[in-house]
């Protein structure tokens, strides 16, 4: 689809509104200034004053407020002459069609969040199955990394006593948390790509199963893994390059100065290419084409995409923390040493504690990760509706008859 929206601008001759939308009634006699004796009531043509309400009348099909009959002795036209809103009365265009979880028009924040929750609620079997597998694999990898690095992290009994030990301990902690962060990014990319077909069916109001999801994803497995690799390398470069000079020179101060710059670049990279996974799966292009597509759709709407994604992440983090808390309490009770072991950090080296908290993390990620990925895919659809009038294609795919034939609202940019 080209970038130009397919909707006519309000007031143009093609949209059925404005003075040129329909021919005037023929005049009687030869004088150009004479009109037919059959004129509409004055109240239907005058503009309402402030505070005035429109007259109550029975709605007529395809006729707005201000309809007048055909002149005497002539056949009525195929469609009544209408000025104003095609839906009748005041108050904007007719309601948008909603065959699935979202209305087919530019979306607001509440509609995007509600749509993501609706996808999880209506297609929970396929959604939770995919997110459970990805969350379990990610948590197993993180569990191994935690156990391998925990011995090198300082505890109250082994606090670093020299600057060199402090730098080493800080580096080990940074590696662990960095690995956890990038592992989460990879999981989000994979779940977003795997669930994009499910989200598209939910938008159209169609049923979805795990088998149909896997069938849609299978031909694009190689491209999906390629895109995941490109996004991972790009995010690593954005986050680590500013601090690399300090790391190579062994200067902790110089490396610390590069950390804020790396965080800014990482945020820019993440938001700019956040829509690449759904673009790849729904447009079936190459990984590079998906990256370009995401950058094009986000351009001019970077702050909007960033704000909605950040808010979703906050909601997701709070929900996941609430889910994990009971598992942490159980681990605290079963850990050797009890609460004191948690306070001095020794409990984090016990396999029983790591496994119990890991199970809680898997449950939390399984439930909350689909919300983040659903919002990302709905943002992709929303940006295409705003830029390319994708709602017309979605309406046709959903079998909505006549949708868009009387629409007069052009999509908004950004």
């Amino acid at each position: 689809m080209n970038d130009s929206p397919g909707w006519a601008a309000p007031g143009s001759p093609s949209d059925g509104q404005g003075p040129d939308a329909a021919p005037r009634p023929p005049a009687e006699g030869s004088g150009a200034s004479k009109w037919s004796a059959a004129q509409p009531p004055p109240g239907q043509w005058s503009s309402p004053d402030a505070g005035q309400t429109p007259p109550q009348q029975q709605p007529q099909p395809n006729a707005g407020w201000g309809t007048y009959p055909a002149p005497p002795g002539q056949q009525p036209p195929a469609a009544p002459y209408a000025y104003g809103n095609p839906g009748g009365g005041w108050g904007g265009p007719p309601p948008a069609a909603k065959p699935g979880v979202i209305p087919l028009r530019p979306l607001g924040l509440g509609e995007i969040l509600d749509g993501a929750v609706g996808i999880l609620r209506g297609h929970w079997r396929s959604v939770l199955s995919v997110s459970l597998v990805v969350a379990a694999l990610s948590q197993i990898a993180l569990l191994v990394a935690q156990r391998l690095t925990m011995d090198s992290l300082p505890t109250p009994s082994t606090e670093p006593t020299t600057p060199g030990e402090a730098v080493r301990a800080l580096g080990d902690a940074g590696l662990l948390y960095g690995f956890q962060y990038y592992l989460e990014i990879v999981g989000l990319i994979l779940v977003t790509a795997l669930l994009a077909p499910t989200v598209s069916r939910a938008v159209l109001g169609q049923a979805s199963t795990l088998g149909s999801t896997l069938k849609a994803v299978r031909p694009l497995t190689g491209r999906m893994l390629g895109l995941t690799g490109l996004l991972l390398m790009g995010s690593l470069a954005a986050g680590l390059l500013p601090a690399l000079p300090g790391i190579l020179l062994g200067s902790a101060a110089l490396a610390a100065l590069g950390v804020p710059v790396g965080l800014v670049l990482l945020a820019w990279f993440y938001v700019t290419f956040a829509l690449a996974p759904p673009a790849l799966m729904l447009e079936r292009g190459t990984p590079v084409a998906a990256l370009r597509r995401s950058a094009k759709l986000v351009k001019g709407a970077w702050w909007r995409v960033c704000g909605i994604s950040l808010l979703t992440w906050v909601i997701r983090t709070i929900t996941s923390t609430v889910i994990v808390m009971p598992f942490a309490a159980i681990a605290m009770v079963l850990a050797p040493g009890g609460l004191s072991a948690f306070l001095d950090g020794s409990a984090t080296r016990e396999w029983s504690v790591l496994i119990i908290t890991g199970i809680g993390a898997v449950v939390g990620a399984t439930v909350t990760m689909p919300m983040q990925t659903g919002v990302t895919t709905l943002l992709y659809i929303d940006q295409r509706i705003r830029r390319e009038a994708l709602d017309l294609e979605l309406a046709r795919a959903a079998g909505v008859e006549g949708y868009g034939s009387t629409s007069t609202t052009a999509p908004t940019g950004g």
Side-chain angles (χ1 to χ4, degrees):
M1 179 183 295
N2 54 30
D3 292 336
S4 60
W7 296 346
S12 64
S14 60
D15 68 350
Q17 301 198 25
D20 299 329
R24 295 185 176 184
E28 293 184 350
S30 58
S33 61
K34 294 183 178 180
W35 288 82
S36 171
Q39 290 294 308
Q44 292 182 312
W45 288 85
S46 59
S47 299
D49 297 328
Q52 179 184 351
T53 57
Q56 301 297 323
Q57 56 182 348
Q58 295 298 326
Q60 301 179 15
N62 300 323
W65 196 62
T67 303
Y68 60 85
Q74 295 190 11
Q75 293 294 330
Y81 305 131
Y83 290 86
N85 180 9
W90 302 331
K98 188 178 179 181
V101 293
I102 59 171
L104 300 184
R105 56 170 170 75
L107 303 175
L109 170 62
E111 291 167 332
I112 292 177
L113 296 177
D114 184 66
V117 174
I119 294 168
L120 177 60
R121 184 171 57 245
H123 303 263
W124 61 272
R125 288 185 178 86
S126 55
V127 169
L128 294 183
S129 298
V130 170
S131 62
L132 174 61
V133 173
V134 175
L137 293 177
S138 300
Q139 192 60 38
I140 289 173
L142 179 61
L143 187 66
V144 174
Q146 283 178 326
R147 192 60 188 87
L148 293 177
T149 58
M150 278 300 177
D151 292 335
S152 62
L153 296 180
T155 63
S157 59
T158 60
E159 288 291 342
T161 57
T162 65
E165 292 178 352
V167 171
R168 241 186 340 267
L170 183 62
D172 291 339
L175 287 176
L176 176 61
Y177 292 119
F179 179 77
Q180 181 178 358
Y181 173 77
Y182 285 105
L183 193 63
E184 182 177 358
I185 287 182
V186 172
L188 286 174
I189 294 171
L190 290 175
V191 175
T192 302
L194 291 170
L195 293 182
T198 301
V199 176
S200 67
R201 291 191 180 95
V203 170
L204 299 177
Q206 299 175 356
S208 178
T209 62
L210 179 60
S212 63
T213 300
L214 296 178
K215 183 178 179 180
V217 169
R218 190 177 298 116
L220 300 174
T221 302
R223 301 181 197 178
M224 179 183 66
L225 295 178
L227 176 64
T228 303
L230 289 177
L231 290 173
L232 179 60
M233 289 188 295
S235 59
L236 284 171
L240 297 180
L241 282 181
L244 188 60
I247 296 174
L248 295 178
L249 296 176
S251 173
L254 185 59
L257 289 176
V259 171
V261 180
L263 292 177
V264 172
L265 289 177
L266 187 60
W268 172 86
F269 181 88
Y270 177 85
V271 175
T272 301
F273 300 108
L275 307 185
L280 174 73
M281 303 306 293
L282 299 180
E283 298 182 18
R284 298 180 172 265
T286 63
V288 175
L291 293 174
R292 292 174 179 170
R293 189 76 166 121
S294 177
K296 183 178 180 180
L297 291 173
V298 172
K299 184 178 180 181
W302 192 93
W303 286 108
R304 180 174 184 271
V305 175
C306 177
I308 293 177
S309 300
L310 180 60
L311 177 61
T312 306
W313 178 81
V314 171
I315 296 173
R316 173 176 167 246
T317 302
I318 295 174
T319 306
S320 180
T321 301
V322 172
I323 295 175
V324 171
M325 285 177 63
F327 293 90
I330 294 174
M332 186 182 301
V333 173
L334 298 180
L339 180 60
S340 60
F342 269 85
L343 294 177
D344 63 18
S346 60
T348 56
R349 291 169 169 78
E350 299 292 335
W351 275 108
S352 59
V353 173
L354 293 177
I355 291 175
I356 294 174
T357 56
I359 293 174
V362 169
V363 175
T366 300
V367 174
T368 61
M369 194 182 299
M371 182 178 182
Q372 184 90 48
T373 59
V375 166
T376 300
T377 305
L378 291 178
L379 277 172
Y380 162 81
I381 295 174
D382 174 58
Q383 286 302 111
R384 288 200 60 189
I385 289 176
R386 293 170 181 268
R387 302 285 178 85
E388 304 168 357
L390 179 66
D391 56 324
L392 302 181
E393 289 189 8
L394 293 175
R396 285 192 290 268
V400 180
E401 297 182 359
Y403 180 79
S405 59
T406 59
S407 178
T408 60
T409 303
T412 58

